[in-house]
Amino acid sequence: GEQAMALNTREGSKQAYGEFMRANQLTPGYKDALKLAQQAKEEATITVFIQDFGNVQPLYGLNYNPFYNQVTNYLFQLNRPNSFTLFINGSTPGYNYNSKRPDQVIQMSFPSIYFSRPFITKQTVTNSREVSTGKRGTDGKEIMQTVTAKVTVYTKTVTARAELFYQILDNHTGAFVYSNRAYADRPWTYSWAVSEGDRRALDNTNQELINRQEIYPPQYQFIFDELTKRMYDDFTAQINQFYRDY
């Protein structure tokens, strides 16, 4: 372990940590192995600062903080005892950005967000069904009749797209370490209907639709939050892959 630490490299420190830990497991307290292991781990650990969106003026007046909080909560879960990365942000207890510069910085932005105007499509169909008249014929059989209804289904749609760009910078040299993008495309839709004719001809789905009223689309923030749920999955998978063996 001491020879590995003497290499004065991150890989050497990672190797030394493993060797010191194994030595302590074999003989607890052996030659300060546990203390040396902690020293080696500190030297091998990369501190990664998760930068917030700061004073960036959000598109459409959106609030990016819910996404930022979701991302940081995920990255904090990667701070495991045997990990050689430590994710922090400005709220990390005991951390002072000015007193100890992080090794890397994750920067995120939304260069593209789009919401369409609401547009409405309609489709008209005629439904028919055999229903009982409540009467019986001379043969004793129930007398049936055909009832019909014309149903017009309206569907209001707002299409939405967003692009997340993020990059990891070496905070000592300013060099780019890694960058990638995540995309999401999600339409918001709402349907309602009106009918003419005998309602007994309607199935359960159409019965539900004609009991609805036209509504306004939700606020952009709601749609954006749904978009970021999809981007979150891509982002976390990409970040996890990058730092898996870091």
Side-chain angles (χ1 to χ4, degrees):
E2 292 178 348
Q3 291 180 350
M5 282 191 70
L7 296 174
N8 200 29
T9 64
R10 182 167 183 263
E11 289 304 314
S13 296
K14 289 170 68 175
Q15 179 184 340
Y17 170 76
E19 293 178 359
F20 286 134
M21 289 299 291
R22 283 190 292 273
N24 188 69
Q25 289 171 357
L26 292 172
T27 309
Y30 178 75
K31 291 186 177 181
D32 293 329
L34 195 59
K35 180 179 179 181
L36 291 170
Q38 183 60 33
Q39 180 182 341
K41 187 175 189 300
E42 290 177 359
E43 293 180 0
T45 297
I46 293 291
T47 303
V48 184
F49 186 82
I50 313 162
Q51 185 171 303
D52 60 24
F53 290 96
N55 296 322
V56 173
Q57 184 66 34
L59 298 173
Y60 295 94
L62 296 168
N63 181 4
Y64 297 161
N65 288 333
F67 177 73
Y68 175 79
N69 293 336
Q70 190 179 22
V71 165
T72 53
N73 288 337
Y74 171 81
L75 293 176
F76 289 161
Q77 293 176 23
L78 301 182
N79 293 336
R80 303 184 181 102
N82 294 327
S83 172
F84 293 100
T85 52
L86 175 64
F87 294 95
I88 62 173
N89 69 359
S91 300
T92 300
Y95 182 77
N96 187 320
Y97 188 96
N98 295 322
S99 63
K100 185 181 184 303
R101 290 175 61 84
D103 301 296
Q104 294 178 355
V105 177
I106 297 178
Q107 298 176 335
M108 297 177 288
S109 65
F110 290 102
S112 175
I113 300 173
Y114 168 77
F115 298 101
S116 74
R117 285 178 159 288
F119 61 92
I120 298 174
T121 58
K122 70 176 182 177
Q123 181 180 21
T124 301
V125 295
T126 299
N127 292 347
S128 62
R129 177 180 292 182
E130 294 289 313
V131 298
S132 173
T133 62
K135 300 178 182 179
R136 294 185 178 275
T138 55
D139 57 1
K141 292 183 178 180
E142 192 174 22
I143 299 175
M144 307 295 288
Q145 71 175 130
T146 300
V147 294
T148 62
K150 185 170 70 173
V151 181
T152 301
V153 178
Y154 297 88
T155 300
K156 181 179 292 187
T157 302
V158 175
T159 60
R161 295 189 298 272
E163 172 192 356
L164 169 70
F165 173 74
Y166 65 95
Q167 58 188 5
I168 303 171
L169 301 179
D170 184 312
N171 202 37
H172 303 295
T173 66
F176 291 98
V177 178
Y178 177 76
S179 66
N180 210 331
R181 297 174 187 270
Y183 302 89
D185 188 331
R186 178 186 175 89
W188 172 86
T189 60
Y190 177 84
S191 297
W192 72 99
V194 296
S195 68
E196 298 178 13
D198 195 321
R199 287 197 173 191
R200 291 178 298 170
L202 303 178
D203 59 21
N204 290 337
T205 299
N206 285 330
Q207 287 281 7
E208 179 185 351
L209 289 174
I210 64 173
N211 288 328
R212 291 183 176 184
Q213 300 293 324
E214 180 182 2
I215 64 172
Y216 289 105
Q219 295 182 348
Y220 286 155
Q221 184 68 49
F222 173 85
I223 300 175
F224 176 72
D225 289 343
E226 293 299 309
L227 285 174
T228 58
K229 288 178 183 178
R230 299 191 175 191
M231 285 187 286
Y232 169 84
D233 291 337
D234 289 341
F235 171 82
T236 52
Q238 293 164 4
I239 284 288
N240 192 49
Q241 179 67 31
F242 178 76
Y243 281 111
R244 178 172 298 169
D245 300 314
Y246 207 78

